[in-house]
Amino acid sequence: MVGKIRHVVLMAALLCATASAYSASKTLLVLGDSLSAEYGLARGTGWVSLLEKRLKSENLDVRVVNASISGDTTSGGRSRLPALLAQHKPDVVVLELGANDGLRGLPIPSAEDNLRTMVKLSQQNKAKVLLVGIHMPPNYGRAYTERFTGMYKDLSASLKVPLVPYMLQGVELVPANFQADRMHPLASAHPVILNNIWPQLAPLIKQ
């Protein structure tokens, strides 16, 4: 009888430990530009804030750190990432950078090298990585726009990280979705952006 009681107690302890492991808090770091920094929006209406609300609604214990800065480039993100990793020790890193490199016509190989370095650095710090891609306007020329889009696909394949091919999918073709600058989405478009990102992000959080 005593042996059976000990067995039951041991099993209960193991189950509690397992449940605790699955419910342990995680940290998600978003490193992006104005598209993630709520540029021109009321606080709490951008896709990152909406993500926090969705996580809570699904009872997922995740601390979200939004380290996005309007105007940031892949070079800026690369210089900021080491300190952010050391400070927050994220379990998941979302890299949403590159748009400003492209809009400034900066060399694609440089942007690709910066993104590759950030992915590897995050992985070395035991974080899962999600790449979030963006497209360039057609007036930049077919060759440049195709190479720019291909940059994200190549990185995703070579580094074996999931990719959101285009965060503005379903947003870009409707002018009414954008602010007066025609570049930054209105708050009403950010739920669509989150829905574009969530299918690739959710598995990284729930693993």
Side-chain angles (χ1 to χ4, degrees), residues 9 24 33 45 58-59 73 85-86 89 125 129 139 141 175 198:
V9 171
D33 49 39
T45 59
E58 297 196 14
N59 296 315
T73 62
L85 291 172
K89 296 177 174 56
N125 281 267
V129 180
N139 59 295
W198 180 251

Side-chain angles (χ1 to χ4, degrees), residues 166-202:
Y166 187 32
M167 68 184 298
L168 297 183
Q169 186 71 40
V171 173
E172 81 288 2
L173 296 179
V174 183
N177 283 332
F178 289 85
Q179 300 175 38
D181 61 11
R182 299 182 182 180
M183 294 177 60
H184 295 93
L186 293 166
S188 57
H190 276 257
V192 178
I193 296 174
L194 176 57
N195 286 338
N196 289 337
I197 294 172
W198 180 251
Q200 297 294 336
L201 178 58

Side-chain angles (χ1 to χ4, degrees), residues 52-101:
E52 292 185 82
K53 295 174 183 177
R54 177 172 290 190
L55 292 169
K56 289 179 181 178
S57 71
E58 297 196 14
N59 296 315
L60 294 170
D61 187 9
V62 181
R63 181 174 69 100
V64 178
V65 177
N66 191 357
S68 303
I69 296 178
S70 294
D72 205 8
T73 62
T74 58
S75 177
R78 179 175 179 170
S79 66
R80 294 193 296 122
L81 183 58
L84 291 168
L85 291 172
Q87 178 181 358
H88 300 290
K89 296 177 174 56
D91 301 280
V92 179
V93 174
V94 177
L95 292 177
E96 182 276 298
L97 287 169
N100 290 306
D101 295 67

